[in-house]
Amino acid sequence: KQEVTQIPAALSVPEGENLVLNCSFTDSAIYNLQWFRQDPGKGLTSLLLIQSSQREQTSGRLNASLDKSSGRSTLYIAASQPGDSATYLCAVNTGTASKLTFGTGTRLQVTL
Amino acid sequence: GAGVSQSPSNKVTEKGKDVELRCDPISGHTALYWYRQSLGQGLEFLIYFQGNSAPDKSGLPSDRFSAERTGGSVSTLTIQRTQQEDSAVYLCASSPWVVSGANVLTFGAGSRLTVL
């Protein structure tokens, strides 16, 4: 059974810092991995999708890497801003139906 | 619609009552998913639809849970004889179907269910 772990569970950083969120998964047979953002009372917003054949994806200040063989992914956020404050979730897709297995998330707070 | 719409956004019910949660996916999205997010736990998969059929119901926690989808559009998740452990946020997502498995899911804001 696929298990997804995210470390740290919570993180507080001052504005402007670069930071790394970690995600690990137990079964390397994945189709892809997604990083989502969840704001309180709102749904999930997809940030980045990395296919199993890819090593990384970038979008603006966000960069996600994938090391499938070791079962790890990182989300790098450059020059953090207060608006980045949210819970970040990683999810792995291990089936053609895109049924996702989620981690429990990292709650990020960026302070002024 | 422009996004995935879920209703009600909040539902408080008494133990033993039945509840229905509705999901209106993005127009044209053939795949629809239900997830549950319980306090302190990650999101867990419940069921997904391809069109009106549900090839995978493996995540439904008990036979009190059922879901249907009609017209390849709106889906309803029904919980019968609700229990306190059913309290959670129920999230719906939809996606255009991509055979390769690279579906990008768009999530709704969720329905928060509280069972007293």
Side-chain angles (χ1 to χ4, degrees), chain A residues 58-73:
Chain A
T58 299
S59 175
R61 295 182 293 108
L62 305 179
N63 176 277
S65 67
L66 174 64
D67 184 343
K68 197 175 72 164
S69 61
S70 68
R72 294 179 181 176
S73 176

Side-chain angles (χ1 to χ4, degrees), chain A:
Chain A
K1 177 185 175 183
Q2 178 75 266
E3 293 184 359
V4 182
T5 304
Q6 290 186 248
I7 295 173
L11 180 63
S12 181
V13 299
E15 182 180 13
E17 275 205 4
N18 303 326
L19 58 101
V20 175
L21 307 181
N22 297 290
C23 172
S24 61
F25 47 95
T26 55
D27 185 351
S28 62
I30 66 171
Y31 278 81
N32 56 56
L33 182 146
Q34 277 182 270
W35 283 93
F36 292 89
R37 168 185 174 138
Q38 185 174 31
D39 294 283
K42 297 188 178 181
L44 306 180
T45 302
S46 181
L47 298 173
L48 289 164
L49 171 73
I50 311 177
Q51 298 293 351
S52 62
S53 59
Q54 296 175 323
R55 297 284 291 181
E56 65 178 330
Q57 282 286 333
T58 299
S59 175
R61 295 182 293 108
L62 305 179
N63 176 277
S65 67
L66 174 64
D67 184 343
K68 197 175 72 164
S69 61
S70 68
R72 294 179 181 176
S73 176
T74 61
L75 179 66
Y76 175 83
I77 303 177
S80 58
Q81 303 171 356
D84 296 331
S85 298
T87 296
Y88 290 80
L89 297 160
C90 73
V92 296
N93 172 5
T94 52
T96 54
S98 291
K99 187 170 70 176
L100 302 178
T101 301
F102 284 84
T104 51
T106 294
R107 185 182 304 170
L108 172 65
Q109 182 175 15
V110 181
T111 59
L112 291 170

Side-chain angles (χ1 to χ4, degrees), chain B residues 1 7 11 24 29 38 41 50 52 54 58 63 66 71 84-85:
Chain B
S7 61
K11 176 71 176 181
D24 197 346
H29 280 193
S38 302
Q41 299 187 24
Q50 171 61 356
N52 291 334
S58 63
D63 58 8
S66 63
Q84 289 182 334
E85 60 263 29

Side-chain angles (χ1 to χ4, degrees), chain B residues 11-115:
Chain B
K11 176 71 176 181
V12 179
T13 190
E14 294 179 347
K15 177 181 174 181
K17 300 284 189 180
D18 296 353
V19 297
E20 287 189 350
L21 307 177
R22 175 189 168 104
C23 173
D24 197 346
I26 292 174
S27 179
H29 280 193
T30 57
L32 185 148
Y33 306 79
W34 283 99
Y35 286 81
R36 177 169 75 171
Q37 187 173 32
S38 302
L39 188 62
Q41 299 187 24
L43 281 90
E44 56 176 333
F45 168 83
L46 298 178
I47 185 172
Y48 96 92
F49 289 88
Q50 171 61 356
N52 291 334
S53 64
D56 190 342
K57 307 178 183 180
S58 63
L60 294 178
S62 75
D63 58 8
R64 296 185 295 105
F65 287 72
S66 63
E68 65 174 11
R69 189 180 185 193
T70 55
S73 180
V74 173
S75 175
T76 302
L77 177 69
T78 301
I79 308 172
Q80 296 178 311
R81 305 180 302 281
T82 51
Q83 303 294 313
Q84 289 182 334
E85 60 263 29
D86 299 335
S87 296
V89 177
Y90 290 81
L91 288 162
C92 175
S94 70
S95 172
W97 185 253
V98 178
V99 177
S100 68
N103 295 359
V104 178
L105 278 63
T106 301
F107 281 82
S111 291
R112 180 178 298 276
L113 174 66
T114 302
V115 181

